Amino acid sequence: MRSLFLKVFLWFWLTFILFSTCTTVLTLYARSGPVFSALRGALSENLLLPGREALYEYETNGPKALNAYLERLRASSVSEWYFVVDPQGEPAGSPLPPEVMEPVERAFQSARLVMDHGIGEFVVALPLTDASGKKYVIVRRSPRGILENAFSRDRASFLGKAALAALITCVLSLVAARHITQPIVKLRKTINRFARGDFSVRSKGELGNRKDEIAAMGDDFDRMADRIQALMAAQTRLLRDISHELRSPLARLGIALDLIEDNPSQDNARYVQQIRKESERMHSLTSRLITLVRLEGESPLSKGTEVDLSALLRRVCETNALEARHKECEIQCAGEEGVKVAGDEELLFSAVENVVRNAVHHSPAHTDVSVSLETTQQDGLPWAVIRVRDHGPGVPEELLDDLFKPFFRVDDSRDRRSGGTGLGLAIAHDAVHRHKGTIRCSNAPDGGLQVRIALPVA
């Protein structure tokens, strides 16, 4: 059972049902169970013999002999009185007290033993039949203590059963409360450890194999903790990479300035050119960092202008054509016309341009960079798919997902010579996701890297 609501409901409902059932059974047991059955049988046996002798005296010797016999019965038990009622409902001997009339009538009607316990007394009326078939009733009237004595033997058993039912109910309630609250306490301890800075702590080991809402909440916490831990690690790595990226150009700037200061009379044009180059490199790096931070902090676009993706793709290819020719390679651009998406045109241009530039950087001489655009159906909706493919060395399969991380390089030394900072694909990734699209990399079967960008068509 996976629902915590159902667990709580059934635990307490079953506890209530059990308690109610025990109470009902014990009540019925006390009122009409073996206690009364045994008492009824004992009273019938006790009255049967004196009743028959009383009828014999009455029918043989008359009312006076009956009264004498009843008096002897009373003398044998000081606190008990006996009476006999004839078939006409009249007293066969001594007059009947008013309080015994109602039990006598019920005994005649039911033809079975009747017990009646009023205030301070206990009346038993037993129907009897003589040899000729006439019906009589013998009545015994006694103090109420006899009934209490009859119950006294069973009272301890009755109270014991009631105490057992109460104990079972208490134990079930404690088990239910513990079952519900214990995982919450464990989850709270886990959260407190996480709040104190232990980002490696997770709730899975604490909650075990539960499948209810508490386990789902623990899974949500684990996902949140994974995300926060990854963000903290990424932030640390980003700060380290930024400092590393800035340290080299700053060092070269310092060297160039030192050389200018040491030789102020010489022609320092080449040093000035180096300073300008390093300044441009730092400007480009800081601009890309600002773009990346802005994209990471913004939510997906809810609305946007209509962007002609076909025209945007041509503009990207034209922008990078000069750099491609400088590397002795060409950009082949082809695709459908009139494909439009909703979004930010400059942001989409930056995303696609970063991917194309990255392909150009890693393409060998005398090769092509192919850029294509097509539409396809996904879940019944039209999507625009851009594919950018180079003929470079490709990327190891285990590193494909890391390409979109800031400052990630497959070959650090090669990328530094090409001038890359490792931010282009990260910017493209965040820009595409802001447009509710997807971007992924794969190695082409015949060599090279292929980047696929999918965007929902307007």
Side-chain angles (χ1 to χ4, degrees), residues 2-265:
R2 298 192 174 189
S3 173
L4 181 62
F5 171 79
L6 288 178
K7 286 182 180 180
V8 175
F9 176 81
L10 290 179
W11 269 105
F12 286 101
W13 180 249
L14 288 175
T15 300
F16 174 77
I17 290 294
L18 178 61
F19 181 80
S20 301
T21 302
C22 290
T23 303
T24 303
V25 169
L26 290 173
T27 301
L28 294 175
Y29 177 85
R31 291 189 176 180
S32 60
V35 176
F36 266 79
S37 297
L39 179 61
R40 187 184 298 275
L43 291 175
S44 297
E45 289 183 9
N46 290 339
L47 278 179
L48 185 59
L49 181 58
R52 287 178 177 174
E53 292 182 358
L55 291 184
Y56 176 78
E57 293 290 341
Y58 178 71
E59 293 178 347
T60 304
N61 303 314
K64 290 183 178 181
L66 173 62
N67 286 336
Y69 176 73
L70 296 179
E71 190 64 27
R72 289 196 302 271
L73 288 177
R74 182 180 181 280
S76 63
S77 178
V78 179
S79 58
E80 294 180 345
W81 292 265
Y82 291 85
F83 307 93
V84 175
V85 182
D86 63 16
Q88 288 74 35
E90 298 296 331
S94 303
L96 295 176
E99 57 268 19
V100 303
M101 295 301 297
E102 195 270 338
V104 169
E105 293 177 359
R106 284 193 287 138
F108 273 118
Q109 294 173 0
S110 63
R112 58 180 295 183
L113 183 134
V114 174
M115 295 182 294
D116 183 62
H117 45 92
I119 300 176
E121 62 181 6
F122 179 49
V123 177
V124 180
L126 176 65
L128 294 174
T129 304
D130 64 3
S132 62
K134 295 180 181 179
K135 293 183 178 180
Y136 292 83
V137 172
I138 182 171
V139 181
R140 184 177 68 185
R141 178 187 176 197
S142 59
R144 193 173 179 179
I146 188 173
L147 180 63
E148 295 176 357
N149 293 333
F151 279 107
S152 61
R153 292 186 303 271
D154 196 66
R155 184 175 298 167
S157 176
F158 176 84
L159 293 176
K161 291 181 175 63
L164 179 61
L167 179 61
I168 292 174
T169 303
C170 180
V171 170
L172 288 178
S173 299
L174 287 175
V175 171
R178 181 177 177 82
H179 182 74
I180 295 169
T181 59
Q182 188 177 27
I184 297 176
V185 172
K186 291 181 179 179
L187 183 59
R188 183 183 178 188
K189 290 180 179 178
T190 302
I191 294 173
N192 287 334
R193 287 178 59 189
F194 188 85
R196 289 194 296 268
D198 185 3
F199 297 131
S200 63
V201 68
R202 297 294 182 269
S203 67
K204 190 65 176 177
E206 296 291 337
L207 299 182
N209 297 322
R210 297 179 66 95
K211 300 295 183 182
D212 52 23
E213 287 87 344
I214 296 179
M217 183 167 59
D219 291 339
D220 292 340
F221 167 78
D222 289 347
R223 285 192 293 271
M224 179 194 71
D226 290 340
R227 178 61 176 163
I228 292 177
Q229 188 177 26
L231 289 175
M232 294 296 293
Q235 183 184 40
T236 303
R237 185 179 64 250
L238 183 62
L239 291 174
R240 184 186 64 244
D241 292 340
I242 290 174
S243 63
H244 183 76
E245 291 293 333
L246 291 177
R247 186 183 298 115
S248 297
L250 285 174
R252 289 190 289 268
L253 280 173
I255 293 173
L257 290 173
D258 289 340
L259 292 173
I260 292 175
E261 291 177 353
D262 292 341
N263 302 284
S265 59

Side-chain angles (χ1 to χ4, degrees), residues 254-317:
I255 293 173
L257 290 173
D258 289 340
L259 292 173
I260 292 175
E261 291 177 353
D262 292 341
N263 302 284
S265 59
Q266 294 184 1
D267 184 8
N268 295 315
R270 57 176 181 153
Y271 299 135
V272 173
Q273 183 179 2
Q274 181 67 26
I275 292 173
R276 181 178 292 109
K277 179 180 178 180
E278 299 300 338
S279 298
E280 290 175 353
R281 177 177 173 80
M282 286 191 295
H283 177 73
S284 174
L285 176 62
T286 53
S287 297
R288 286 172 174 265
L289 281 172
I290 291 173
T291 301
L292 181 62
V293 172
R294 177 172 62 86
L295 289 175
E296 288 181 343
E298 293 182 356
S299 58
L301 289 170
S302 57
K303 295 181 180 180
T305 59
E306 193 172 74
V307 179
D308 189 336
L309 205 57
S310 305
L312 183 143
L313 211 60
R314 288 195 298 269
R315 185 156 63 96
V316 169
C317 294

Side-chain angles (χ1 to χ4, degrees), residues 348-389:
L348 287 174
F349 179 87
S350 175
V352 179
E353 199 260 346
N354 274 304
V355 174
V356 173
R357 180 189 294 147
N358 185 76
V360 171
H361 282 171
H362 297 95
S363 292
H366 311 297
T367 60
D368 294 335
V369 174
S370 62
V371 182
S372 64
L373 172 65
E374 63 181 2
T375 57
T376 184
Q377 293 289 322
Q378 183 175 326
D379 297 330
L381 299 175
W383 284 69
V385 178
I386 301 172
R387 288 186 173 87
V388 180
R389 188 255 174 104

